[in-house]
Amino acid sequence: MAKETPSSSPTSMPSGLKAYAVPIFLFVLAMFFQLFLLPRSFPPSHYDVLGVKMYSSVDDVKDAYETIASKWDSDSGDSLPADFIKIQYAYELLTNLVWKRDYDLYGIDESVHIIEELEKQYAVEDFAKIKLPLLEVVSYEPEREGFMSISSQDFASKFQDSKPWLIQVYSSGSKSSAQFATAWRRIVALLDGVANHAMLELGDVQLVTYLAEKKPTGQVFFRKGLPSIFSFPPNCKTADCLIRFEGELSADAITDWFATTVLGLPRVFYHTKETLVPKFLSKVPPNKVKVILFSQTGERATPIVRQAAKDYWNFASLSHVLWREEDASFWWNALEVESAPAIVIMKDPGSKPVVYHGSGNRTWFLDILEQNKQLQLPQLRSTTSMELGCDARGYSRAGYDKATWYCAILVGRQSVELNKMRETMCRVQDALSKYDESDEASKDPSITPAASAHKTKRLSFAWLDGEAQNKYCFFYVQSETSYDTCGTRRAPIDVPRILIVRYHRNATETANVEQKSSKWPKTVWQSEADDVDPAAQLVVSYDGPAETPEIIKWLSKMVDDGDNRNLPFYRAKTPELVPESAEPMRSGVPKSVKATQKLLRIWNRIKDYLADPRMGPTLLLGALLSAGNVWWMRSRSSTPQPAQTNQPSPNQPDVNVEEKKKKERKREQRRKNAKEKEVPASITDNEPKDAVQILSSGSDSD
């Protein structure tokens, strides 16, 4: 009796549904897309309202409207205000050449919300009472307001410099573009000197098509409508690196996006009187100037301020403070600030802050930073040693022709004692700067050498972090108590020291060394004596009281001796200054914001594909192909096989019986072979390998 086929099994229906699950899912998705998603993405156009073809001419639109108007009868009762509003709106939109162009090419219809508003307003009234026209005609010309425009003809010629660009795409008939003019004027003023700006009208189809977004179908569109803002980063000339703004259309939001995303500028945060010291002043590195900007409005830091914060990052740190009248007495007592806006410059410990009241332009602000970017007593670092003239491998600040120059260095670890000595050295430097040699009455021979050397830039002042620059510190401070000044703090003792280093250059020898080093590279046979600094150094430590007059007299004596006495000429190899770790500059978009923006771009891309009319037929085609593949595979697997019975057919041998016979013969052969291997050989069959012939007693060998 034949076995039951799979098709007659009671479980065939669930298995069939399981096999066709993917095609069914694709089919349902295709129907949902075609019946629900597409109609929402493609509502009836204004051409459909008037009963004309898409992209019909203005004359055809007028003829269709007149035909409808001639048949319109307000007394018949068949006319509804909602119908009249839609027809009138379509007529006004499609007979305006600018609005029609924007609607046909880019799908822009920024006043469509008026239809719903008017329908609610005139829901129970006669359509004859509706005020006409529905739309207000706008003519926006940015050139009259001084804004720069670009076109496809001058696009390449204007993009010559490396500055970033901020561009607004607008329409001359767009009401929102005209309303945005005030905010755009503010943006242009804030970006002055930081970036270039321009405006692009939708009528330049070639350039707009190149720069605008495109749907999967290739249609040009503006996701956020008009005006549309985008930017070219520095050194960018193509649309591949273009960055689009997708936020709120306000001056503050756009400038912040441009400064953060496009320029990667650091933020300048606001602080209060309670947080200014713990969160700003105490965290600024000791080698940087502190700049406090008092704001009366509390607006975000402008791109100019943020650009300055980036440019002067190695010299100064910037912070904002919101001015409040109730805090006026506090700020006057603390920093002598009378009102806002104001700029406060804080330099060395104990020094009086420099205050600038009022608001100026970009040049005024940058001049203030440039004049005050250095501490009064600069820090000796790897980046400042050459500039300060405190480097035996460099040149003095007085010029190459000076053979002898000096550097007064305050050495010590970060501590209260070091800050006090920094104040003292600032007073010393200030006293030498104000010393007048031409005044014979007040001229002091004990001060003149140091004052003269300082004025001619042969005497520089600096301070050195003895812990960060421990090798450099130990090289100069060679005494039993050097660990009180240099290296890691081992005991609660900090002893700052004042050193004066005399640099003396032998011009002839230095020229020979430089000539050899420029022509011949160093080899293993070159003597170690050649690997020394070009200028000799003589270091003297100050052991007197920490008083300004005494320090000035000591410096003058050292300078006078160095200039007039024949002192020893010591040359050695000065240790390298260790590059100190810089304060991290938090710039650009935070990672969390980047992740959010990336997800938003992905979601926008998905929505673009959901609005693609080709998706429905594509899904339906996929469902049909998948169903056909499943049917083919199932039909092959369910093809009936020849029925098998216990008795073999007379015309066909029993395959199973033949297989059994073959297996039996193989088993019999294996058993036979095994027996032959297991039976031991007879003693008479073969002579064993270790057999020995034993002769009898009656043999011939006796």
Side-chain angles (χ1 to χ4, degrees):
M1 184 177 180
K3 292 183 179 181
E4 194 176 68
T5 61
S7 60
S8 61
S9 174
T11 61
S12 59
M13 181 63 70
S15 63
L17 292 175
K18 184 177 180 181
Y20 286 94
V22 174
I24 292 174
F25 173 75
L26 293 177
F27 178 78
V28 172
L29 191 61
M31 292 298 101
F32 176 76
F33 188 90
Q34 287 293 118
L35 299 177
F36 295 98
L37 293 183
L38 270 187
R40 293 186 178 183
S41 302
F42 294 90
S45 68
H46 297 302
Y47 290 98
D48 297 332
V49 173
L50 296 174
V52 295
K53 296 180 180 179
M54 287 290 295
Y55 313 121
S56 297
S57 64
V58 175
D59 294 335
D60 294 340
V61 171
K62 290 181 179 179
D63 293 341
Y65 178 77
E66 292 175 357
T67 302
I68 296 174
S70 63
K71 298 178 181 179
W72 201 272
D73 185 3
S74 60
D75 298 329
S76 64
D78 297 333
S79 306
L80 297 176
D83 297 335
F84 174 78
I85 291 172
K86 293 179 181 178
I87 294 173
Q88 183 66 26
Y89 182 92
Y91 169 73
E92 293 182 12
L93 176 73
L94 298 178
T95 53
N96 186 295
L97 296 179
V98 177
W99 292 345
K100 186 177 187 300
R101 177 204 66 189
D102 299 345
Y103 182 73
D104 291 347
L105 297 179
Y106 312 108
I108 295 176
D109 185 11
E110 62 182 19
S111 301
V112 69
H113 62 279
I114 293 178
I115 297 178
E116 186 177 354
E117 295 176 0
L118 293 176
E119 286 178 354
K120 292 180 180 179
Q121 181 179 355
Y122 299 101
V124 294
E125 297 184 12
D126 186 8
F127 70 89
K129 297 181 179 179
I130 300 176
K131 297 180 180 179
L132 300 178
L134 302 180
L135 302 179
E136 180 184 357
V137 179
V138 177
S139 180
Y140 178 48
E141 298 180 7
E143 293 83 0
R144 292 185 177 181
E145 301 185 22
F147 299 139
M148 188 179 71
S149 299
I150 58 172
S151 62
S152 54
Q153 288 75 22
D154 58 6
F155 177 75
S157 61
K158 288 186 177 180
F159 276 63
Q160 295 296 330
D161 57 6
S162 59
K163 274 189 176 182
W165 280 81
L166 183 67
I167 298 178
Q168 176 195 164
V169 179
Y170 75 100
S171 172
S172 58
S174 171
K175 184 177 181 180
S176 58
S177 297
Q179 293 173 346
F180 186 68
T182 303
W184 183 253
R185 188 179 297 106
R186 172 64 176 164
I187 294 170
V188 169
L190 292 174
L191 295 180
D192 183 29
V194 178
N196 299 322
H197 56 86
M199 300 183 68
L200 173 62
E201 215 279 327
L202 286 180
D204 195 332
V205 180
Q206 180 180 356
L207 187 56
V208 171
T209 304
Y210 175 70
L211 299 176
E213 293 184 83
K214 298 176 180 61
K215 294 183 178 180
T217 56
Q219 180 184 359
V220 177
F221 77 112
F222 296 92
R223 191 180 306 277
K224 295 293 183 178
L226 293 181
S228 179
I229 308 295
F230 59 88
S231 173
F232 288 96
N235 301 307
C236 170
K237 300 293 188 298
T238 64
D240 297 334
C241 53
L242 183 145
I243 305 175
R244 304 185 189 279
F245 175 72
E246 299 179 353
E248 177 189 359
L249 287 174
S250 65
D252 180 73
I254 293 175
T255 52
D256 179 63
W257 162 80
F258 187 82
T260 304
T261 305
V262 181
L263 300 179
L265 300 179
R267 295 187 180 276
V268 180
F269 296 100
Y270 272 82
H271 294 285
T272 62
K273 65 179 182 179
E274 292 81 12
T275 62
L276 183 64
V277 174
K279 292 189 176 181
F280 176 68
L281 296 180
S282 61
K283 293 187 177 181
V284 176
N287 62 289
K288 297 177 69 173
V289 175
K290 306 170 185 66
V291 181
I292 306 174
L293 307 174
F294 282 83
S295 172
Q296 197 169 14
T297 60
E299 64 180 359
R300 200 191 305 268
T302 63
I304 296 174
V305 174
R306 296 175 65 174
Q307 183 68 53
K310 181 180 180 180
D311 296 340
Y312 289 88
W313 188 260
N314 292 326
F315 303 97
S317 292
L318 279 68
S319 174
H320 266 301
V321 170
L322 177 61
W323 176 265
R324 296 177 180 175
E325 291 299 331
E326 55 268 26
D327 299 333
S329 59
F330 173 83
W331 294 120
W332 169 255
N333 296 328
L335 302 173
E336 297 186 0
V337 179
E338 296 179 355
S339 62
I343 302 176
V344 178
I345 310 292
M346 300 180 66
K347 296 186 177 181
D348 302 81
S351 61
K352 186 178 179 180
V354 182
V355 182
Y356 298 88
H357 287 94
S359 60
N361 55 17
R362 170 177 173 269
T363 305
W364 176 77
F365 172 69
L366 295 180
D367 287 343
I368 290 176
L369 289 183
E370 185 64 27
Q371 294 170 9
N372 298 277
K373 68 177 183 179
Q374 293 287 4
L375 297 171
Q376 188 174 350
L377 184 67
Q379 185 184 19
L380 181 58
R381 309 173 66 194
S382 58
T383 56
T384 61
S385 61
M386 294 284 288
E387 181 181 356
L388 295 174
C390 300
D391 194 333
R393 287 157 291 188
Y395 306 112
S396 71
R397 296 170 60 225
Y400 183 75
D401 58 332
K402 299 296 181 181
T404 305
W405 69 97
Y406 305 87
C407 185
I409 307 175
L410 172 63
V411 185
R413 288 188 289 262
Q414 294 290 340
S415 60
V416 177
E417 292 79 8
L418 179 65
N419 290 340
K420 291 180 179 179
M421 288 302 300
R422 286 176 62 183
E423 296 179 31
T424 303
M425 293 302 292
C426 287
R427 289 193 294 268
V428 170
Q429 187 177 10
D430 187 58
L432 293 177
S433 301
K434 296 179 179 179
Y435 182 76
D436 189 5
E437 298 181 20
S438 60
D439 189 359
E440 296 293 336
S442 60
K443 191 172 182 180
D444 188 352
S446 62
I447 301 177
T448 303
S452 177
H454 182 60
K455 185 172 293 185
T456 57
K457 298 182 179 181
R458 291 196 307 119
L459 174 61
S460 302
F461 290 85
W463 69 275
L464 180 76
D465 189 338
E467 184 175 3
Q469 306 290 348
N470 53 5
K471 292 184 178 180
Y472 200 89
C473 182
F474 282 121
F475 178 78
Y476 285 127
V477 183
Q478 299 180 4
S479 65
E480 296 179 355
T481 59
S482 59
Y483 283 98
D484 297 340
T485 304
C486 307
T488 306
R489 184 179 286 104
R490 300 183 179 182
I493 300 175
D494 291 296
V495 182
R497 299 174 185 270
I498 301 175
L499 311 173
I500 184 169
V501 183
R502 172 186 177 267
Y503 301 96
H504 184 74
R505 177 173 50 224
N506 187 321
T508 305
E509 185 177 356
T510 303
N512 294 336
V513 172
E514 291 179 353
Q515 186 177 5
K516 290 179 181 179
S517 61
S518 62
K519 291 185 177 181
W520 305 100
K522 292 183 180 180
T523 64
V524 294
W525 297 280
Q526 190 172 4
S527 64
E528 295 183 1
D530 293 336
D531 192 18
V532 294
D533 297 329
Q537 301 179 67
L538 185 62
V539 183
V540 182
S541 177
Y542 176 69
D543 296 328
E547 298 178 0
T548 303
E550 297 298 327
I551 297 175
I552 293 177
K553 291 179 181 179
W554 174 76
L555 290 174
S556 295
K557 187 177 184 306
M558 294 299 102
V559 172
D560 185 62
D561 291 346
D563 290 343
N564 300 318
R565 294 178 59 186
N566 187 17
L567 298 177
F569 191 85
Y570 296 112
R571 292 181 60 193
K573 183 67 174 179
T574 309
E576 295 283 348
L577 284 166
V578 179
E580 299 180 17
S581 57
E583 180 188 7
M585 184 172 62
R586 298 180 180 88
S587 59
V589 183
K591 292 183 179 180
S592 58
V593 178
K594 284 185 178 180
T596 304
Q597 292 175 349
K598 187 175 182 180
L599 292 176
L600 181 61
R601 286 194 292 269
I602 294 174
W603 173 241
N604 288 335
R605 198 62 180 170
I606 293 174
K607 289 194 298 184
D608 292 342
Y609 279 106
L610 292 178
D612 189 350
R614 300 172 299 180
M615 287 297 297
T618 302
L619 292 173
L620 184 59
L621 178 62
L624 294 176
L625 293 176
S626 178
N629 182 62
V630 172
W631 175 83
W632 173 254
M633 298 300 295
R634 285 173 61 84
S635 63
R636 290 187 59 186
S637 61
S638 62
T639 301
Q641 299 293 334
Q644 297 180 357
T645 59
N646 295 332
Q647 299 296 329
S649 173
N651 298 328
Q652 183 178 1
D654 191 346
V655 179
N656 293 335
V657 174
E658 291 294 331
E659 290 291 335
K660 289 180 180 179
K661 288 182 179 180
K662 288 182 180 180
K663 292 180 180 179
E664 192 66 30
R665 285 196 294 270
K666 289 181 179 179
R667 261 192 243 104
E668 189 68 27
Q669 185 66 30
R670 285 197 294 270
R671 284 197 296 270
K672 184 176 180 181
N673 294 338
K675 280 185 177 182
E676 291 178 356
K677 292 180 180 180
E678 293 175 0
V679 175
S682 173
I683 59 175
T684 59
D685 292 343
N686 297 312
E687 185 177 355
K689 295 179 180 180
D690 56 348
V692 179
Q693 184 68 32
I694 302 177
L695 300 176
S696 62
S697 58
S699 62
D700 297 338
S701 60
D702 290 341

